[in-house]
mmCIF file with all atom_site columns, all heavy atoms in Angstrom:
data_model
loop_
_atom_site.group_PDB
_atom_site.id
_atom_site.type_symbol
_atom_site.label_atom_id
_atom_site.label_alt_id
_atom_site.label_comp_id
_atom_site.label_asym_id
_atom_site.label_entity_id
_atom_site.label_seq_id
_atom_site.pdbx_PDB_ins_code
_atom_site.Cartn_x
_atom_site.Cartn_y
_atom_site.Cartn_z
_atom_site.occupancy
_atom_site.B_iso_or_equiv
_atom_site.pdbx_formal_charge
_atom_site.auth_seq_id
_atom_site.auth_comp_id
_atom_site.auth_asym_id
_atom_site.auth_atom_id
_atom_site.pdbx_PDB_model_num
ATOM 1   N N   . THR A 1 1  ? -38.889 30.829 -14.938 1.00 0.00 ? 18 THR A N   1
ATOM 2   C CA  . THR A 1 1  ? -37.728 31.655 -14.917 1.00 0.00 ? 18 THR A CA  1
ATOM 3   C C   . THR A 1 1  ? -37.642 32.884 -15.780 1.00 0.00 ? 18 THR A C   1
ATOM 4   O O   . THR A 1 1  ? -36.820 33.798 -15.574 1.00 0.00 ? 18 THR A O   1
ATOM 5   C CB  . THR A 1 1  ? -36.560 30.610 -15.684 1.00 0.00 ? 18 THR A CB  1
ATOM 6   O OG1 . THR A 1 1  ? -37.040 30.114 -16.997 1.00 0.00 ? 18 THR A OG1 1
ATOM 7   C CG2 . THR A 1 1  ? -36.337 29.401 -14.763 1.00 0.00 ? 18 THR A CG2 1
ATOM 8   N N   . GLY A 1 2  ? -38.685 32.995 -16.701 1.00 0.00 ? 19 GLY A N   1
ATOM 9   C CA  . GLY A 1 2  ? -38.761 34.075 -17.567 1.00 0.00 ? 19 GLY A CA  1
ATOM 10  C C   . GLY A 1 2  ? -40.213 34.831 -17.250 1.00 0.00 ? 19 GLY A C   1
ATOM 11  O O   . GLY A 1 2  ? -40.465 35.635 -18.172 1.00 0.00 ? 19 GLY A O   1
ATOM 12  N N   . GLY A 1 3  ? -40.703 34.513 -16.126 1.00 0.00 ? 20 GLY A N   1
ATOM 13  C CA  . GLY A 1 3  ? -42.095 35.291 -15.770 1.00 0.00 ? 20 GLY A CA  1
ATOM 14  C C   . GLY A 1 3  ? -43.165 34.772 -16.673 1.00 0.00 ? 20 GLY A C   1
ATOM 15  O O   . GLY A 1 3  ? -44.324 35.271 -16.703 1.00 0.00 ? 20 GLY A O   1
ATOM 16  N N   . GLN A 1 4  ? -43.096 33.607 -17.252 1.00 0.00 ? 21 GLN A N   1
ATOM 17  C CA  . GLN A 1 4  ? -44.127 32.995 -18.071 1.00 0.00 ? 21 GLN A CA  1
ATOM 18  C C   . GLN A 1 4  ? -45.263 32.337 -17.297 1.00 0.00 ? 21 GLN A C   1
ATOM 19  O O   . GLN A 1 4  ? -46.305 32.077 -17.901 1.00 0.00 ? 21 GLN A O   1
ATOM 20  C CB  . GLN A 1 4  ? -43.478 32.031 -19.176 1.00 0.00 ? 21 GLN A CB  1
ATOM 21  C CG  . GLN A 1 4  ? -43.048 30.727 -18.650 1.00 0.00 ? 21 GLN A CG  1
ATOM 22  C CD  . GLN A 1 4  ? -41.679 30.744 -18.031 1.00 0.00 ? 21 GLN A CD  1
ATOM 23  O OE1 . GLN A 1 4  ? -41.104 31.774 -17.738 1.00 0.00 ? 21 GLN A OE1 1
ATOM 24  N NE2 . GLN A 1 4  ? -41.191 29.534 -17.759 1.00 0.00 ? 21 GLN A NE2 1
ATOM 25  N N   . GLY A 1 5  ? -44.992 32.117 -16.092 1.00 0.00 ? 22 GLY A N   1
ATOM 26  C CA  . GLY A 1 5  ? -46.025 31.549 -15.281 1.00 0.00 ? 22 GLY A CA  1
ATOM 27  C C   . GLY A 1 5  ? -45.820 29.866 -15.085 1.00 0.00 ? 22 GLY A C   1
ATOM 28  O O   . GLY A 1 5  ? -45.280 29.320 -16.099 1.00 0.00 ? 22 GLY A O   1
ATOM 29  N N   . THR A 1 6  ? -46.322 29.338 -14.088 1.00 0.00 ? 23 THR A N   1
ATOM 30  C CA  . THR A 1 6  ? -46.330 27.867 -13.899 1.00 0.00 ? 23 THR A CA  1
ATOM 31  C C   . THR A 1 6  ? -47.705 27.542 -13.286 1.00 0.00 ? 23 THR A C   1
ATOM 32  O O   . THR A 1 6  ? -48.497 28.469 -13.224 1.00 0.00 ? 23 THR A O   1
ATOM 33  C CB  . THR A 1 6  ? -45.186 27.430 -13.114 1.00 0.00 ? 23 THR A CB  1
ATOM 34  O OG1 . THR A 1 6  ? -45.527 27.868 -11.670 1.00 0.00 ? 23 THR A OG1 1
ATOM 35  C CG2 . THR A 1 6  ? -43.802 27.951 -13.518 1.00 0.00 ? 23 THR A CG2 1
ATOM 36  N N   . SER A 1 7  ? -47.793 26.295 -13.037 1.00 0.00 ? 24 SER A N   1
ATOM 37  C CA  . SER A 1 7  ? -49.048 25.722 -12.283 1.00 0.00 ? 24 SER A CA  1
ATOM 38  C C   . SER A 1 7  ? -49.223 26.384 -10.874 1.00 0.00 ? 24 SER A C   1
ATOM 39  O O   . SER A 1 7  ? -50.216 26.388 -10.321 1.00 0.00 ? 24 SER A O   1
ATOM 40  C CB  . SER A 1 7  ? -49.045 24.251 -12.174 1.00 0.00 ? 24 SER A CB  1
ATOM 41  O OG  . SER A 1 7  ? -47.986 23.765 -11.653 1.00 0.00 ? 24 SER A OG  1
ATOM 42  N N   . ASP A 1 8  ? -48.038 26.804 -10.381 1.00 0.00 ? 25 ASP A N   1
ATOM 43  C CA  . ASP A 1 8  ? -48.121 27.405 -8.997  1.00 0.00 ? 25 ASP A CA  1
ATOM 44  C C   . ASP A 1 8  ? -48.213 29.017 -9.026  1.00 0.00 ? 25 ASP A C   1
ATOM 45  O O   . ASP A 1 8  ? -48.395 29.556 -7.879  1.00 0.00 ? 25 ASP A O   1
ATOM 46  C CB  . ASP A 1 8  ? -46.753 26.976 -8.194  1.00 0.00 ? 25 ASP A CB  1
ATOM 47  C CG  . ASP A 1 8  ? -46.791 25.555 -8.005  1.00 0.00 ? 25 ASP A CG  1
ATOM 48  O OD1 . ASP A 1 8  ? -47.733 24.967 -7.712  1.00 0.00 ? 25 ASP A OD1 1
ATOM 49  O OD2 . ASP A 1 8  ? -45.689 25.028 -8.066  1.00 0.00 ? 25 ASP A OD2 1
ATOM 50  N N   . GLY A 1 9  ? -48.145 29.599 -10.142 1.00 0.00 ? 26 GLY A N   1
ATOM 51  C CA  . GLY A 1 9  ? -48.309 31.054 -10.214 1.00 0.00 ? 26 GLY A CA  1
ATOM 52  C C   . GLY A 1 9  ? -48.504 31.495 -11.584 1.00 0.00 ? 26 GLY A C   1
ATOM 53  O O   . GLY A 1 9  ? -48.082 30.893 -12.543 1.00 0.00 ? 26 GLY A O   1
ATOM 54  N N   . PRO A 1 10 ? -49.240 32.610 -11.716 1.00 0.00 ? 27 PRO A N   1
ATOM 55  C CA  . PRO A 1 10 ? -49.652 33.209 -13.015 1.00 0.00 ? 27 PRO A CA  1
ATOM 56  C C   . PRO A 1 10 ? -48.418 33.947 -13.819 1.00 0.00 ? 27 PRO A C   1
ATOM 57  O O   . PRO A 1 10 ? -47.379 34.237 -13.062 1.00 0.00 ? 27 PRO A O   1
ATOM 58  C CB  . PRO A 1 10 ? -50.753 34.283 -12.620 1.00 0.00 ? 27 PRO A CB  1
ATOM 59  C CG  . PRO A 1 10 ? -50.355 34.735 -11.343 1.00 0.00 ? 27 PRO A CG  1
ATOM 60  C CD  . PRO A 1 10 ? -49.726 33.448 -10.505 1.00 0.00 ? 27 PRO A CD  1
ATOM 61  N N   . SER A 1 11 ? -48.574 34.062 -15.055 1.00 0.00 ? 28 SER A N   1
ATOM 62  C CA  . SER A 1 11 ? -47.639 34.776 -15.786 1.00 0.00 ? 28 SER A CA  1
ATOM 63  C C   . SER A 1 11 ? -47.543 36.274 -15.339 1.00 0.00 ? 28 SER A C   1
ATOM 64  O O   . SER A 1 11 ? -48.542 36.834 -15.054 1.00 0.00 ? 28 SER A O   1
ATOM 65  C CB  . SER A 1 11 ? -48.127 34.799 -17.294 1.00 0.00 ? 28 SER A CB  1
ATOM 66  O OG  . SER A 1 11 ? -47.196 35.617 -18.033 1.00 0.00 ? 28 SER A OG  1
ATOM 67  N N   . LEU A 1 12 ? -46.346 36.836 -15.408 1.00 0.00 ? 29 LEU A N   1
ATOM 68  C CA  . LEU A 1 12 ? -46.083 38.211 -15.032 1.00 0.00 ? 29 LEU A CA  1
ATOM 69  C C   . LEU A 1 12 ? -45.818 39.049 -16.201 1.00 0.00 ? 29 LEU A C   1
ATOM 70  O O   . LEU A 1 12 ? -45.471 40.279 -16.082 1.00 0.00 ? 29 LEU A O   1
ATOM 71  C CB  . LEU A 1 12 ? -44.942 38.198 -13.976 1.00 0.00 ? 29 LEU A CB  1
ATOM 72  C CG  . LEU A 1 12 ? -45.154 37.527 -12.625 1.00 0.00 ? 29 LEU A CG  1
ATOM 73  C CD1 . LEU A 1 12 ? -43.895 37.689 -11.814 1.00 0.00 ? 29 LEU A CD1 1
ATOM 74  C CD2 . LEU A 1 12 ? -46.362 37.899 -11.902 1.00 0.00 ? 29 LEU A CD2 1
ATOM 75  N N   . VAL A 1 13 ? -45.864 38.414 -17.381 1.00 0.00 ? 30 VAL A N   1
ATOM 76  C CA  . VAL A 1 13 ? -45.617 39.192 -18.675 1.00 0.00 ? 30 VAL A CA  1
ATOM 77  C C   . VAL A 1 13 ? -46.715 40.218 -18.916 1.00 0.00 ? 30 VAL A C   1
ATOM 78  O O   . VAL A 1 13 ? -47.893 39.812 -19.018 1.00 0.00 ? 30 VAL A O   1
ATOM 79  C CB  . VAL A 1 13 ? -45.373 38.320 -19.745 1.00 0.00 ? 30 VAL A CB  1
ATOM 80  C CG1 . VAL A 1 13 ? -45.184 39.232 -21.091 1.00 0.00 ? 30 VAL A CG1 1
ATOM 81  C CG2 . VAL A 1 13 ? -44.217 37.411 -19.654 1.00 0.00 ? 30 VAL A CG2 1
ATOM 82  N N   . GLY A 1 14 ? -46.392 41.419 -18.789 1.00 0.00 ? 31 GLY A N   1
ATOM 83  C CA  . GLY A 1 14 ? -47.432 42.531 -19.051 1.00 0.00 ? 31 GLY A CA  1
ATOM 84  C C   . GLY A 1 14 ? -48.115 43.031 -17.868 1.00 0.00 ? 31 GLY A C   1
ATOM 85  O O   . GLY A 1 14 ? -49.049 43.915 -18.075 1.00 0.00 ? 31 GLY A O   1
ATOM 86  N N   . VAL A 1 15 ? -47.864 42.503 -16.665 1.00 0.00 ? 32 VAL A N   1
ATOM 87  C CA  . VAL A 1 15 ? -48.536 43.060 -15.507 1.00 0.00 ? 32 VAL A CA  1
ATOM 88  C C   . VAL A 1 15 ? -48.091 44.439 -15.051 1.00 0.00 ? 32 VAL A C   1
ATOM 89  O O   . VAL A 1 15 ? -48.733 45.171 -14.421 1.00 0.00 ? 32 VAL A O   1
ATOM 90  C CB  . VAL A 1 15 ? -48.422 42.066 -14.170 1.00 0.00 ? 32 VAL A CB  1
ATOM 91  C CG1 . VAL A 1 15 ? -48.896 40.672 -14.660 1.00 0.00 ? 32 VAL A CG1 1
ATOM 92  C CG2 . VAL A 1 15 ? -46.918 41.972 -13.799 1.00 0.00 ? 32 VAL A CG2 1
ATOM 93  N N   . GLY A 1 16 ? -46.826 44.742 -15.460 1.00 0.00 ? 33 GLY A N   1
ATOM 94  C CA  . GLY A 1 16 ? -46.353 46.099 -15.185 1.00 0.00 ? 33 GLY A CA  1
ATOM 95  C C   . GLY A 1 16 ? -45.755 46.258 -13.853 1.00 0.00 ? 33 GLY A C   1
ATOM 96  O O   . GLY A 1 16 ? -45.869 45.447 -12.982 1.00 0.00 ? 33 GLY A O   1
ATOM 97  N N   . ALA A 1 17 ? -45.000 47.470 -13.719 1.00 0.00 ? 34 ALA A N   1
ATOM 98  C CA  . ALA A 1 17 ? -44.265 47.655 -12.442 1.00 0.00 ? 34 ALA A CA  1
ATOM 99  C C   . ALA A 1 17 ? -45.299 47.950 -11.346 1.00 0.00 ? 34 ALA A C   1
ATOM 100 O O   . ALA A 1 17 ? -44.924 47.643 -10.109 1.00 0.00 ? 34 ALA A O   1
ATOM 101 C CB  . ALA A 1 17 ? -43.394 48.887 -12.669 1.00 0.00 ? 34 ALA A CB  1
ATOM 102 N N   . ALA A 1 18 ? -46.477 48.526 -11.542 1.00 0.00 ? 35 ALA A N   1
ATOM 103 C CA  . ALA A 1 18 ? -47.319 48.927 -10.524 1.00 0.00 ? 35 ALA A CA  1
ATOM 104 C C   . ALA A 1 18 ? -47.853 47.700 -9.764  1.00 0.00 ? 35 ALA A C   1
ATOM 105 O O   . ALA A 1 18 ? -48.010 47.649 -8.657  1.00 0.00 ? 35 ALA A O   1
ATOM 106 C CB  . ALA A 1 18 ? -48.590 49.646 -11.089 1.00 0.00 ? 35 ALA A CB  1
ATOM 107 N N   . ALA A 1 19 ? -48.015 46.488 -10.436 1.00 0.00 ? 36 ALA A N   1
ATOM 108 C CA  . ALA A 1 19 ? -48.505 45.235 -9.840  1.00 0.00 ? 36 ALA A CA  1
ATOM 109 C C   . ALA A 1 19 ? -47.440 44.734 -8.858  1.00 0.00 ? 36 ALA A C   1
ATOM 110 O O   . ALA A 1 19 ? -47.766 44.208 -7.772  1.00 0.00 ? 36 ALA A O   1
ATOM 111 C CB  . ALA A 1 19 ? -48.856 44.328 -10.998 1.00 0.00 ? 36 ALA A CB  1
ATOM 112 N N   . VAL A 1 20 ? -46.255 44.850 -9.402  1.00 0.00 ? 37 VAL A N   1
ATOM 113 C CA  . VAL A 1 20 ? -45.090 44.302 -8.585  1.00 0.00 ? 37 VAL A CA  1
ATOM 114 C C   . VAL A 1 20 ? -44.946 45.233 -7.195  1.00 0.00 ? 37 VAL A C   1
ATOM 115 O O   . VAL A 1 20 ? -44.736 44.663 -6.220  1.00 0.00 ? 37 VAL A O   1
ATOM 116 C CB  . VAL A 1 20 ? -43.714 44.253 -9.293  1.00 0.00 ? 37 VAL A CB  1
ATOM 117 C CG1 . VAL A 1 20 ? -42.578 43.996 -8.396  1.00 0.00 ? 37 VAL A CG1 1
ATOM 118 C CG2 . VAL A 1 20 ? -43.830 43.483 -10.562 1.00 0.00 ? 37 VAL A CG2 1
ATOM 119 N N   . ASP A 1 21 ? -44.999 46.475 -7.403  1.00 0.00 ? 38 ASP A N   1
ATOM 120 C CA  . ASP A 1 21 ? -44.890 47.360 -6.391  1.00 0.00 ? 38 ASP A CA  1
ATOM 121 C C   . ASP A 1 21 ? -45.998 47.081 -5.240  1.00 0.00 ? 38 ASP A C   1
ATOM 122 O O   . ASP A 1 21 ? -45.725 47.167 -4.099  1.00 0.00 ? 38 ASP A O   1
ATOM 123 C CB  . ASP A 1 21 ? -44.959 48.815 -6.724  1.00 0.00 ? 38 ASP A CB  1
ATOM 124 C CG  . ASP A 1 21 ? -44.567 49.782 -5.746  1.00 0.00 ? 38 ASP A CG  1
ATOM 125 O OD1 . ASP A 1 21 ? -43.314 50.008 -5.544  1.00 0.00 ? 38 ASP A OD1 1
ATOM 126 O OD2 . ASP A 1 21 ? -45.504 50.387 -5.077  1.00 0.00 ? 38 ASP A OD2 1
ATOM 127 N N   . PHE A 1 22 ? -47.153 46.867 -5.696  1.00 0.00 ? 39 PHE A N   1
ATOM 128 C CA  . PHE A 1 22 ? -48.338 46.632 -4.804  1.00 0.00 ? 39 PHE A CA  1
ATOM 129 C C   . PHE A 1 22 ? -48.201 45.204 -4.202  1.00 0.00 ? 39 PHE A C   1
ATOM 130 O O   . PHE A 1 22 ? -48.157 45.182 -2.850  1.00 0.00 ? 39 PHE A O   1
ATOM 131 C CB  . PHE A 1 22 ? -49.642 46.613 -5.650  1.00 0.00 ? 39 PHE A CB  1
ATOM 132 C CG  . PHE A 1 22 ? -50.811 46.092 -4.823  1.00 0.00 ? 39 PHE A CG  1
ATOM 133 C CD1 . PHE A 1 22 ? -51.448 47.005 -3.966  1.00 0.00 ? 39 PHE A CD1 1
ATOM 134 C CD2 . PHE A 1 22 ? -51.232 44.854 -4.869  1.00 0.00 ? 39 PHE A CD2 1
ATOM 135 C CE1 . PHE A 1 22 ? -52.553 46.582 -3.066  1.00 0.00 ? 39 PHE A CE1 1
ATOM 136 C CE2 . PHE A 1 22 ? -52.334 44.378 -3.964  1.00 0.00 ? 39 PHE A CE2 1
ATOM 137 C CZ  . PHE A 1 22 ? -52.997 45.269 -3.205  1.00 0.00 ? 39 PHE A CZ  1
ATOM 138 N N   . GLN A 1 23 ? -47.923 44.185 -4.961  1.00 0.00 ? 40 GLN A N   1
ATOM 139 C CA  . GLN A 1 23 ? -47.925 42.750 -4.351  1.00 0.00 ? 40 GLN A CA  1
ATOM 140 C C   . GLN A 1 23 ? -46.705 42.565 -3.468  1.00 0.00 ? 40 GLN A C   1
ATOM 141 O O   . GLN A 1 23 ? -46.855 42.075 -2.410  1.00 0.00 ? 40 GLN A O   1
ATOM 142 C CB  . GLN A 1 23 ? -47.839 41.710 -5.520  1.00 0.00 ? 40 GLN A CB  1
ATOM 143 C CG  . GLN A 1 23 ? -49.062 41.781 -6.375  1.00 0.00 ? 40 GLN A CG  1
ATOM 144 C CD  . GLN A 1 23 ? -50.310 41.029 -5.750  1.00 0.00 ? 40 GLN A CD  1
ATOM 145 O OE1 . GLN A 1 23 ? -50.143 40.588 -4.614  1.00 0.00 ? 40 GLN A OE1 1
ATOM 146 N NE2 . GLN A 1 23 ? -51.376 41.023 -6.414  1.00 0.00 ? 40 GLN A NE2 1
ATOM 147 N N   . VAL A 1 24 ? -45.564 43.079 -3.799  1.00 0.00 ? 41 VAL A N   1
ATOM 148 C CA  . VAL A 1 24 ? -44.267 42.882 -3.043  1.00 0.00 ? 41 VAL A CA  1
ATOM 149 C C   . VAL A 1 24 ? -44.369 43.964 -1.882  1.00 0.00 ? 41 VAL A C   1
ATOM 150 O O   . VAL A 1 24 ? -44.058 43.653 -0.686  1.00 0.00 ? 41 VAL A O   1
ATOM 151 C CB  . VAL A 1 24 ? -43.097 43.025 -3.840  1.00 0.00 ? 41 VAL A CB  1
ATOM 152 C CG1 . VAL A 1 24 ? -41.812 42.705 -3.011  1.00 0.00 ? 41 VAL A CG1 1
ATOM 153 C CG2 . VAL A 1 24 ? -43.167 42.061 -4.974  1.00 0.00 ? 41 VAL A CG2 1
ATOM 154 N N   . GLY A 1 25 ? -44.867 45.277 -2.226  1.00 0.00 ? 42 GLY A N   1
ATOM 155 C CA  . GLY A 1 25 ? -44.713 46.254 -1.144  1.00 0.00 ? 42 GLY A CA  1
ATOM 156 C C   . GLY A 1 25 ? -45.786 45.923 -0.012  1.00 0.00 ? 42 GLY A C   1
ATOM 157 O O   . GLY A 1 25 ? -45.471 46.398 1.091   1.00 0.00 ? 42 GLY A O   1
ATOM 158 N N   . THR A 1 26 ? -46.819 45.237 -0.246  1.00 0.00 ? 43 THR A N   1
ATOM 159 C CA  . THR A 1 26 ? -47.848 44.905 0.832   1.00 0.00 ? 43 THR A CA  1
ATOM 160 C C   . THR A 1 26 ? -47.542 43.568 1.377   1.00 0.00 ? 43 THR A C   1
ATOM 161 O O   . THR A 1 26 ? -48.248 43.138 2.331   1.00 0.00 ? 43 THR A O   1
ATOM 162 C CB  . THR A 1 26 ? -49.195 44.881 0.249   1.00 0.00 ? 43 THR A CB  1
ATOM 163 O OG1 . THR A 1 26 ? -49.309 43.980 -0.701  1.00 0.00 ? 43 THR A OG1 1
ATOM 164 C CG2 . THR A 1 26 ? -49.609 46.300 -0.289  1.00 0.00 ? 43 THR A CG2 1
#
């Protein structure tokens, strides 16, 4: 819920806007 990550997905804290734009944009 806060981007801290779970067993099904890594933490998104500190990945930055570029990582989101790449992963979601592709």
Side-chain angles (χ1 to χ4, degrees):
T18 55
Q21 73 276 13
T23 68
S24 57
D25 295 323
S28 170
L29 299 181
V30 177
V32 301
V37 178
D38 190 76
F39 172 82
Q40 295 285 1
V41 182
T43 60

